[in-house]
């Protein structure tokens, strides 16, 4: 399993931090977790091609996590891409189908792909917490960040495990989903002295990682107010394990 952070930022435009997105390679499968604006350009910078994406998993439907879909679907309509494109799936919380239908209607016909190429699936964590995709196994749990929002856990056939929270405030479900994971990638939007509902602070993120017993904690989704503080020191109040402050194009290799 090989992870590339495409965007470690938020909706707030920053020179060195793009909107949220992760690229994950598991064997020959290429997955994206969230697809904020600029994700495709970040993939090019990372040496990845949008024509090879097999799955897109969306944590929630806010623009900073989904706007890259517009670019992706439009770019995929290129005749040369369509001629060689293998089928792909876009998976997300309940409401995804209507969301995508409205996007396609707004840009009609420029986001429409042949039905044989695009499968859109809604995933309700309460009804189906786990799925087996053959090349990998995935789990999901509901998060607290508007409704609906959800986190994902990916597991490779060799046992490597990655958990990505999307946007959330502290809750038992993220701790349970992340239990014993090799890598936990958590949002860390705001400093300890300025918490906000629906998001995590560094010490809250550290507490989740400590309780879940993860091998490595990676923090992303920093707003400027958080970047102006000592994120590491705040996280160390609650977490003593391996810690990484995520940055754009950072690569993480799991066994």
């Amino acid at each position: 399993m090989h992870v590339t952070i495409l965007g470690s930022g938020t909706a707030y435009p920053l020179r060195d931090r793009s909107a949220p997105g992760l690229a994950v390679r598991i064997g020959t499968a290429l997955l994206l977790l969230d697809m904020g604006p600029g994700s495709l350009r970040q993939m090019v910078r990372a040496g990845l091609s949008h024509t090879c994406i097999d799955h897109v998993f969306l944590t929630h439907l806010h623009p900073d996590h989904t706007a890259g879909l517009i670019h992706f679907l439009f770019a995929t309509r290129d005749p040369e891409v369509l001629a060689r494109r293998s089928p792909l799936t876009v998976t997300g919380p309940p409401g995804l189908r209507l969301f995508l239908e409205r996007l396609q209607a707004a840009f009609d016909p420029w986001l429409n792909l042949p039905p044989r190429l695009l499968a859109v699936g809604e995933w309700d964590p309460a009804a189906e917490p786990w799925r087996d995709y053959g090349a990998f196994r995935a789990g999901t749990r509901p998060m607290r960040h508007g409704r609906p929002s959800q986190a994902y856990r990916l597991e490779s056939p060799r046992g490597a495990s990655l958990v990505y929270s999307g946007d959330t405030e502290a809750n038992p479900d993220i701790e349970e989903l992340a239990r014993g994971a090799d890598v936990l990638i958590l949002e860390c939007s705001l400093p300890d002295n300025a918490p906000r509902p629906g998001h995590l602070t560094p010490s809250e993120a550290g507490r989740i990682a400590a309780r879940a017993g993860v091998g490595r904690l990676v923090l992303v989704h920093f707003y400027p107010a958080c970047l102006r503080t000592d994120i590491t020191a705040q996280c160390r109040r609650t977490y003593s394990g391996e810690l990484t402050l995520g940055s754009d194009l950072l690569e993480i290799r799991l066994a």
Side-chain angles (χ1 to χ4, degrees):
M1 188 184 296
H2 182 192
V3 183
T4 303
I5 297 177
L6 300 178
S8 59
T10 64
Y12 194 95
L14 295 173
R15 182 182 63 182
D16 56 348
R17 294 188 184 273
S18 296
L22 303 176
V24 184
R25 176 76 71 181
I26 306 178
T28 60
L30 180 60
L31 293 62
L32 259 62
L33 300 177
D34 284 337
M35 192 180 254
S39 291
L40 264 60
R41 182 175 181 274
Q42 291 293 87
M43 288 187 70
V44 172
R45 295 181 65 199
L48 302 170
S49 172
H50 75 278
T51 65
C52 298
I53 296 171
D54 298 298
H55 299 272
V56 178
F57 291 91
L58 301 174
T59 60
H60 61 295
L61 303 180
H62 287 171
D64 57 327
H65 293 252
T66 61
L69 273 175
I70 298 172
H71 186 187
F72 173 55
L73 295 174
F74 188 35
T76 302
R77 280 177 55 90
D78 180 277
E80 292 185 5
V81 175
L82 288 177
R84 63 179 188 273
R85 190 64 169 91
S86 58
L88 64 104
T89 64
V90 178
T91 303
L96 172 63
R97 286 193 181 93
L98 179 59
F99 170 82
L100 189 54
E101 287 172 4
R102 288 175 171 173
L103 270 185
Q104 290 172 322
F107 287 93
D108 187 53
W110 306 113
L111 304 187
N112 299 327
L113 299 182
R116 65 178 178 83
L117 286 185
L118 178 63
V120 179
E122 297 180 355
W123 191 354
D124 182 355
E128 189 182 9
W130 288 93
R131 288 181 177 178
D132 190 341
Y133 288 87
F136 61 94
R137 183 170 178 255
T140 187
R141 296 290 188 281
M143 294 294 103
R144 296 179 183 174
H145 180 76
R147 294 183 181 179
S149 299
Q150 55 203 70
Y152 295 101
R153 179 175 179 132
L154 302 176
E155 297 181 352
S156 76
R158 293 184 178 182
S161 53
L162 166 74
V163 175
Y164 171 55
S165 68
D167 289 0
T168 187
E169 62 185 56
N171 66 87
D173 281 302
I174 187 59
E175 293 180 18
E176 181 60 31
L177 189 65
R179 188 79 59 201
D182 295 315
V183 175
L184 170 61
I185 301 180
L186 286 180
E187 73 118 280
C188 182
S189 297
L190 299 154
D192 282 358
N193 63 357
R196 185 185 303 171
H199 289 291
L200 295 173
T201 66
S203 65
E204 288 174 333
R207 188 175 295 110
I208 291 169
R211 289 176 175 174
V214 302
R216 179 181 181 183
L217 172 61
V218 181
L219 301 180
V220 294
H221 201 270
F222 305 112
Y223 276 101
C226 196
L227 291 169
R228 290 192 293 266
T229 65
D230 190 337
I231 298 171
T232 297
Q234 293 174 61
C235 188
R236 286 301 185 203
R237 295 170 181 169
T238 55
Y239 178 69
S240 60
E242 185 176 356
L243 174 64
T244 301
L245 302 189
S247 57
D248 285 17
L249 305 183
L250 175 69
E251 297 187 4
I252 302 167
R253 294 185 181 274
L254 289 77

